[in-house]
Amino acid sequence: MFSAVILAAGASRRMGTPKQLLPVGGRPMVRRVAEAVCRSQVAEVIAVTGAYAEEVGKALKGLPVKIAFNPAWAEGQSGSVATGVKALSGEA
């Protein structure tokens, strides 16, 4: 079985608004992605949050998704990947 990690920690500085919270079909993009992943055959879903952790968490409420917060989200995407991998192995 496979697991999935959704990276949703960035600040979207160049865009000026959090990409992960942009509405797509009336729902935040991160929720639409998570819903699609949850419908797949994965064993578990991890969402890595950071800059907008509270808002992303609210957007994912009610879904079978484990939230993993990356406190070093501003240092780049590799830290979020590492946070997600740690959460998969049960370390986070």
Side-chain angles (χ1 to χ4, degrees), residues 25-81:
R27 294 189 309 278
M29 181 174 15
V30 69
R31 184 170 184 93
R32 294 202 38 123
V33 168
E35 289 170 341
V37 173
C38 288
R39 286 191 301 269
S40 72
Q41 297 295 316
V42 296
E44 65 180 328
V45 181
I46 308 293
V48 180
T49 64
Y52 302 99
E54 186 175 333
E55 296 90 336
V56 171
K58 286 179 184 176
L60 296 174
K61 187 173 179 147
L63 294 177
V65 174
K66 179 180 175 184
I67 305 291
F69 177 71
N70 175 12
W73 61 266
E75 294 176 19
Q77 195 173 54
S78 64
S80 290
V81 171

